[in-house]
Amino acid sequence: MKRILTVIGARPQFIKAAAVSRAISATKGVNEILVHTGQHYDANMSDIFFQEMGIPTPAYQLDISGGSHGQMTGRMLEQLEAIMLKEQPDAVLVYGDTNSTMAGALAAAKLNIPLAHVEAGLRSFNCRMPEEVNRVLTDHCASLLLTPTDTATQNLAEEGITGDQVVQVGDVMYDAALFFGRLAGEHSNLLETSGVDVGRFVLATIHRQENTDDPERLRAVFEGLEKVARTLPVVVPLHPRTKGRLEDAGMLNLTDNLKTVAPLGYIEMVAHERAAAVIVTDSGGVQKEAFFYGVPCVTLRDETEWVELVEAGWNRLVPPLNAAIIAQAVSQAVGTKGQNVTPYGAGDASERIVSTLLRFLRK
Ligand code: UD1
Ligand code: UDP
């Protein structure tokens, strides 16, 4: 029996783990030890995903959150090392690019435990993003790099990471969208939370540090959304970081004409994504979900890791420097479609991850 220790901690990792943990449970010869660092801890940022998506209860719950990047990562590293020493797993599995990812990767690398990285090879080429630092370092510690796209595989090759250790499996978020998206239904009552009608609202999510922690960008984003709201209702499930920064900056009044709601559970979120006229976001996951559901997207960032969607016309990259430009980009996006492309695999990334991992461990 092979034993895989998986480290998760932030919302997008619960969604990815929901798909992969289901595939691990369905596979003979492998057991998963799930560790939740506690990076996200509110019920609507964590528990709801475990309940809705049937993610197994973690064997370890570390309750480590907040503080500076170094404090958070350091505290996680210390506790994850102790758990890995005790459990002696055959491999450690990490997802994406959060501080929980980095801590899991470093702990495994220092103990010489093989590390598998799901969503390897993504790059923004912007080292000021905490996520870029996390993902580059994680990739360079990993023994097995599971990439979602051609671009990601190519990015690794340009850093000299090639050969059997790189396996392009597709995107697990596509698996999750196919499996759990069905539950959302197209005309369901799940839009009741925000009181909007199908096709007649804009959905916006903002949480990236570069947007929330820079008051000028934060102001441009919310003034831009306020302009959009003059023609179409704007639903904003407000991330706790963003809520905190708006409060700190005395800018909560900029949300007065928006339909702000607490963070949504995945099924309710998907129902909103499918029904939106346009999605405005700085989230990695939400950019792709917009495409999965055929909804045009405006990404409020200077660059994106998911370049294929910009190239195919599904996504417009708009640095949030000016409210008028944001509002104009949203109105131009309404009713548009991109090219018919399939950059994220066939929806079987989870099964491919598990079979690749098992092959790797049996070698
Ligand atoms: C983190 C990830 C980011 C990911 C995002 C997903 C890092 C460096 N960043 O950013 O890559 O896109 O998660 O959502 O790992 N908070 C709460 N309740 C919670 C969670 C957070 O109140 O359940 C507040 C806390 O004040 C916390 C702040 O939000 O200090 C930021 O949380 P943190 O996990 O540090 O970063 P995110 O912005 O969530
Ligand atoms: N999400 C959710 N509820 C929300 C906002 C986002 O369920 O209120 C889901 C979203 O559908 C996607 C994932 O969270 O699957 C994306 O996570 P997030 O935007 O927090 O992080 P990122 O993908 O940018 O790392």
Side-chain angles (χ1 to χ4, degrees):
M1 180 67 72
K2 298 293 180 189
R3 297 167 74 244
I4 296 173
L5 188 147
T6 302
V7 180
I8 54 178
R11 176 168 65 188
Q13 292 164 336
F14 308 141
I15 289 150
K16 291 162 198 169
V20 177
S21 293
R22 199 160 42 85
I24 294 177
S25 314
T27 308
K28 289 203 179 83
V30 56
N31 265 342
E32 184 175 40
I33 306 153
L34 205 53
V35 183
H36 185 332
T37 61
Q39 180 170 348
H40 286 176
Y41 49 88
D42 291 341
N44 57 19
M45 293 292 288
S46 177
D47 293 358
I48 191 166
F49 300 97
F50 286 78
Q51 288 154 12
E52 274 188 350
M53 303 178 91
I55 308 168
T57 304
Y60 295 90
Q61 176 76 45
L62 305 187
D63 296 327
I64 299 172
S65 61
S68 65
H69 286 288
Q71 281 170 338
M72 190 200 288
T73 313
R75 289 167 64 213
M76 288 174 183
L77 175 61
E78 187 175 358
Q79 293 207 30
L80 288 170
E81 181 180 66
I83 294 170
M84 289 178 199
L85 280 168
K86 178 169 165 233
E87 294 287 350
Q88 297 288 321
D90 296 292
V92 166
L93 179 65
V94 293
Y95 296 95
D97 52 21
T98 71
N99 290 343
S100 300
T101 314
M102 176 79 273
L106 263 183
K110 297 260 178 199
L111 294 172
N112 289 322
I113 301 171
L115 174 72
H117 185 204
V118 172
E119 240 181 40
L122 290 191
R123 296 290 181 268
S124 66
F125 303 102
N126 175 359
C127 288
R128 292 180 58 79
M129 282 180 77
E131 292 85 358
E132 184 75 354
V133 176
N134 291 339
R135 55 172 91 100
V136 171
L137 293 177
T138 300
D139 281 342
H140 284 261
C141 290
S143 329
L144 188 58
L145 297 104
L146 301 150
T147 60
T149 58
D150 291 342
T151 312
T153 306
Q154 184 62 34
N155 287 337
L156 291 178
E158 280 165 19
E159 290 172 24
I161 306 176
T162 54
D164 289 353
Q165 58 177 338
V166 180
V167 183
Q168 189 169 326
V169 289
D171 188 349
V172 285
M173 292 204 77
Y174 185 36
D175 299 18
L178 289 176
F179 187 81
F180 295 100
R182 271 182 229 119
L183 302 178
E186 216 151 340
H187 301 281
S188 72
N189 57 3
L190 291 167
L191 300 181
E192 272 170 12
T193 312
S194 42
V196 283
D197 298 323
V198 175
R200 298 180 51 123
F201 69 97
V202 170
L203 176 68
T205 80
I206 295 294
H207 73 273
R208 249 339 114 200
Q209 182 176 299
E210 75 236 31
N211 287 338
T212 59
D213 293 21
D214 176 337
E216 281 179 27
R217 285 173 82 104
L218 190 62
R219 177 174 290 284
V221 168
F222 279 89
E223 285 182 353
L225 293 177
E226 208 275 331
K227 275 187 190 297
V228 174
R230 293 177 201 167
T231 45
L232 274 176
V234 180
V235 178
V236 189
L238 207 52
H239 190 286
R241 168 191 282 280
T242 315
K243 185 161 186 262
R245 294 301 183 271
L246 284 167
E247 280 164 1
D248 296 346
M251 290 188 202
L252 256 187
N253 62 318
L254 293 180
T255 64
D256 285 352
N257 296 324
L258 308 178
K259 289 180 173 285
T260 49
V261 292
L264 299 172
Y266 184 72
I267 307 296
E268 223 175 348
M269 179 66 181
V270 168
H272 280 79
E273 288 173 337
R274 290 171 66 144
V278 176
I279 293 177
V280 180
T281 193
D282 61 10
S283 156
V286 175
Q287 284 173 58
K288 287 176 290 164
E289 286 165 356
F291 163 71
F292 298 151
Y293 303 118
V295 176
C297 185
V298 173
T299 294
L300 300 183
R301 286 187 47 195
D302 296 339
E303 66 280 304
T304 177
E305 299 77 19
W306 305 101
V307 288
E308 2 3 81
L309 297 181
V310 178
E311 285 157 14
W314 287 100
N315 195 1
R316 291 160 169 75
L317 201 52
V318 179
L321 305 173
N322 173 309
I325 292 174
I326 295 171
Q328 189 188 24
V330 175
S331 71
Q332 283 171 351
V334 175
T336 62
K337 296 275 173 210
Q339 292 158 27
N340 196 2
V341 290
T342 51
Y344 300 118
D348 60 355
S350 314
E351 286 78 20
R352 295 187 65 188
I353 286 167
V354 180
S355 60
T356 307
L357 245 174
L358 276 179
R359 243 190 342 269
F360 169 83
L361 289 174
R362 284 175 183 147
K363 255 195 206 160

